[in-house]
């Protein structure tokens, strides 16, 4: 047996190379805005409601300009009309402003903040499925329990490939 002297290697603070897991702290809030220049004939079709201090999309009426807009969904928070901040405006003010602008020009620019559901975001991020965040929120996912109600057909409609569906099985093994 060859005995050699060994010394423990004690890393300094600068030598640690720990890999961090994906987390909510890495959230890029710029990804959580939706803005659209709505233009067309007929009704705009967005029903707003007051929720705490925010003005949110309560409903999108069928067969309207808004219903034909990909990426717009219920619960988005209105933050801007034609590049003007709406902070402090009442629901009545918002309805008057949007109605007046729409009737005058049949076009309006609206900017929304998407709802941020930490559990949903983190679970999708950790399974490399974050690009489907909006689709899951549109389905009604606001907590991890809501993933239990997702069906295989929902994933197919999202155009998930087989590898992504297998990743989703880490979230909902019943798929």
């Amino acid at each position: 047996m060859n005995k050699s002297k060994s010394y423990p290697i004690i890393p300094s603070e600068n030598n640690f190379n720990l890999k961090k897991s994906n987390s909510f702290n890495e959230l890029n809030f710029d990804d959580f805005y939706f803005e659209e220049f709505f233009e067309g004939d007929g009704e705009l079709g967005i029903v707003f409601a007051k929720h705490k201090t925010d003005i949110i999309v309560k409903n999108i009426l069928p067969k309207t300009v808004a219903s034909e807009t990909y990426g717009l969904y219920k619960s988005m928070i209105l933050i801007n009309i034609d590049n003007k901040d709406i902070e402090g405006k009442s629901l009545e003010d918002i309805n008057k402003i949007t109605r007046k602008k729409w009737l005058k020009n049949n076009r309006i620019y609206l900017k929304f903040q998407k709802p941020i559901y930490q559990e949903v975001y983190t679970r999708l991020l950790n399974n490399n499925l974050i690009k489907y965040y909006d689709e899951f929120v549109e389905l009604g996912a606001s907590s991890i329990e809501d993933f239990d109600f997702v069906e295989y057909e929902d994933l197919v409609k999202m155009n998930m490939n087989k590898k992504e569906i297998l990743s989703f099985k880490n979230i909902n093994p019943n798929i």
Side-chain angles (χ1 to χ4, degrees):
M1 177 187 286
N2 182 5
K3 291 190 174 186
S4 60
K5 291 184 180 181
S6 64
Y7 299 97
I9 298 174
I10 302 172
S12 69
E13 287 181 36
N14 299 333
N15 286 350
F16 283 112
N17 187 12
L18 298 176
K19 183 179 178 192
K20 291 183 180 179
S21 65
N22 294 324
S23 71
F24 188 68
N25 295 332
E26 296 173 17
L27 181 86
N28 181 0
F29 286 96
D30 290 338
D31 293 339
F32 286 87
Y33 288 100
F34 173 81
E35 49 193 316
E36 183 68 32
F37 186 75
F38 295 89
E39 185 174 33
D41 296 328
E43 278 188 76
L44 174 60
I46 302 174
V47 178
F48 295 107
K50 186 86 168 176
H51 178 71
K52 298 180 183 173
T53 60
D54 297 321
I55 304 293
I56 64 164
V57 176
K58 179 182 179 182
N59 200 5
I60 301 166
L61 301 176
K63 298 182 182 178
T64 62
V65 173
S67 69
E68 297 172 1
T69 305
Y70 177 77
L72 178 67
Y73 53 85
K74 295 177 188 179
S75 73
M76 287 185 164
I77 301 165
L78 181 66
I79 60 171
N80 184 302
I81 298 174
D82 284 340
N83 292 314
K84 292 193 170 115
D85 190 358
I86 62 130
E87 189 173 345
K89 301 241 187 269
S90 69
L91 177 60
E92 186 178 289
D93 291 341
I94 297 302
N95 285 330
K96 282 181 185 176
I97 293 167
T98 55
R99 189 177 314 112
K100 182 179 177 182
K101 288 180 178 287
W102 187 256
L103 290 175
K104 181 179 177 185
N105 301 315
N106 274 18
R107 65 177 180 250
I108 192 168
Y109 167 80
L110 300 175
K111 185 174 182 179
F112 300 90
Q113 180 181 354
K114 298 175 186 179
I116 302 171
Y117 302 113
Q118 181 176 350
E119 291 179 323
V120 172
Y121 177 87
T122 304
R123 190 63 57 100
L124 292 172
L125 184 66
N126 289 340
N127 287 281
N128 297 316
L129 297 170
I130 195 62
K131 69 182 181 181
Y132 298 104
Y133 177 85
D134 288 340
E135 284 88 346
F136 282 107
V137 172
E138 274 191 84
L139 279 177
S142 59
S143 69
I144 55 173
E145 290 81 20
D146 294 329
F147 287 127
D148 293 340
F149 300 101
V150 174
E151 298 175 348
Y152 181 82
E153 291 77 24
D154 297 324
L155 304 179
V156 172
K157 285 179 188 174
M158 291 180 197
N159 291 321
M160 279 193 184
N161 61 38
K162 289 181 181 184
K163 183 179 177 186
E164 291 168 330
I165 291 172
L166 284 174
S167 290
F168 185 76
K169 285 188 176 196
N170 294 327
I171 299 170
N172 178 355
N174 296 324
I175 287 293

